[in-house]
Amino acid sequence: MTAYATLNPLAANINNLYLDYIGIIILLATIGVLIGTIGHYLIIGPNAKRLGKLKPEILRLNVLERFTHFVRMTSFIILAITGIAFAIFNVKNIGLTYDSAYKIHIVFAILFALSSLVSIVIWLKDSIFKTYDWEWFKVMGGYLTRKEIHPPSGRFNAGQKAFYWYSTLLSVLVIGSGYLLAYPEKFNLESLVWATVIHGISAITLMAGVIAHAYLGSFANPGTIGTIIHGKVAKEWAKNHHPQWYQEEIEQSR
Ligand code: HEM
């Protein structure tokens, strides 16, 4: 009897389902979100375009926030490219051997884990939901209309808080399952099958969310992308997009 045949039938079925559909799910999820963001840009358009033309003068993200975000963002992109190469096409197609691709994946996984941990801790306080966040959800942040709507928002709006929790949960799942896969000799076959499935599904779900997040932090909201580069935003940007943050933290500290 092979080791695979001794697997619990539920784990074996889920593994087969996963192996049969993984490529197509990756493709559909990623293409779906990409088409969604392009469609949104063409049909509804960017939010408050005029705010992107103003001079950035208020510090929004400090050096630690920018540095950890940069490491998390770049390591995530490298992990996504090598991970997709492992799962659906040969790593040779991206000019690497299996060994070098594996080493790169492990090194950037460690950087992703460390930067995720720091990001999760430093942004926890800003990501706790408040009663006024409900107003943001009721109008979906104004993203479904061409009218300029700016619902109440603290340092992070309700959508950003939701993305914080979404990326936290999925980062923990992808890192935890990746740990099992990096040390297969320490775990039994059934745990490794579950780890493979959880690793793939959480990685794909995180990729789809990150595409939407990158769109919202750049093309959809002119004047925002600078926060992860130089850290600053315009005063009008802060007043319009994050009125509670502006009143409670910026105005009072001036
Ligand atoms: C891939 C390119 C990415 C771009 C262009 C991007 C862009 C941004 C921007 C502009 C902000 C600041 C928003 C503001 O000041 O209001 C931000 C914040 C944040 N980013 Fe990213 N990011 C990217 C990747 C990632 C990845 C891979 C993760 C995690 C896995 C991540 C997690 C976060 C979180 C949790 C925040 C704070 C909450 C939020 O703004 O949603 N980002 N990002």
Side-chain angles (χ1 to χ4, degrees), residues 62-82:
N62 65 32
V63 178
L64 178 66
E65 291 173 314
R66 293 193 319 261
F67 177 71
T68 42
H69 184 271
F70 176 79
V71 176
R72 198 178 190 196
M73 177 177 82
T74 41
S75 54
F76 182 81
I77 293 170
I78 291 165
L79 288 168
I81 295 170
T82 46

Side-chain angles (χ1 to χ4, degrees), residues 5 10 19 34 51-52 60 70 74 82 102 115 126 160-161 184 213 216 220 223 235 247:
L10 177 66
L19 290 176
L34 261 177
L51 298 175
R60 177 156 168 81
F70 176 79
T74 41
T82 46
Y102 182 79
S115 55
D126 298 308
Q160 290 176 295
K161 291 178 184 179
H213 164 75
L216 291 170
K235 200 160 117 186
Q247 278 160 19

Side-chain angles (χ1 to χ4, degrees), residues 80-232:
I81 295 170
T82 46
I84 292 172
F86 283 136
I88 52 178
F89 57 86
N90 201 311
V91 286
K92 285 190 184 123
N93 290 329
I94 52 168
L96 296 171
T97 61
Y98 181 87
D99 276 357
S100 57
Y102 182 79
K103 277 183 195 140
I104 291 173
H105 203 76
I106 296 291
V107 169
F108 283 95
I110 295 167
L111 291 176
F112 179 72
L114 293 174
S115 55
S116 293
L117 182 68
V118 180
S119 294
I120 291 167
V121 172
I122 59 179
W123 282 336
L124 174 65
K125 183 175 144 276
D126 298 308
S127 304
I128 309 281
F129 285 100
K130 297 211 169 143
T131 334
Y132 59 66
D133 285 324
W134 185 234
E135 298 299 314
W136 191 99
F137 279 125
K138 277 205 271 195
V139 293
M140 286 311 286
Y143 286 116
L144 302 181
T145 168
R146 284 178 190 217
K147 276 189 244 149
E148 199 176 305
I149 303 178
H150 295 290
S153 159
R155 187 170 187 237
F156 289 159
N157 64 39
Q160 290 176 295
K161 291 178 184 179
F163 180 72
Y164 167 92
W165 292 108
Y166 174 94
S167 57
T168 296
L169 173 70
L170 291 166
S171 300
V172 169
L173 288 175
V174 85
I175 295 162
S177 55
Y179 177 80
L180 267 75
L181 298 176
Y183 296 100
E185 65 287 352
K186 289 191 186 168
F187 303 95
N188 63 31
L189 184 63
E190 195 165 327
S191 309
L192 293 172
V193 167
W194 281 110
T196 309
V197 174
I198 292 171
H199 197 70
I201 292 175
S202 48
I204 300 160
T205 318
L206 189 53
M207 277 178 222
V210 166
I211 293 174
H213 164 75
Y215 167 66
L216 291 170
S218 56
F219 297 107
N221 287 294
T224 306
I225 194 73
T227 58
I228 58 168
I229 305 163
H230 49 64
K232 290 185 179 163

Side-chain angles (χ1 to χ4, degrees), residues 29-75:
T30 316
I31 293 174
V33 178
L34 261 177
I35 293 177
T37 53
I38 295 169
H40 181 272
Y41 189 81
L42 296 176
I43 299 165
I44 299 193
N47 194 1
K49 241 193 273 183
R50 66 193 162 82
L51 298 175
K53 299 195 181 102
L54 308 173
K55 187 172 162 267
E57 50 184 323
I58 294 176
L59 185 68
R60 177 156 168 81
L61 298 187
N62 65 32
V63 178
L64 178 66
E65 291 173 314
R66 293 193 319 261
F67 177 71
T68 42
H69 184 271
F70 176 79
V71 176
R72 198 178 190 196
M73 177 177 82
T74 41
S75 54

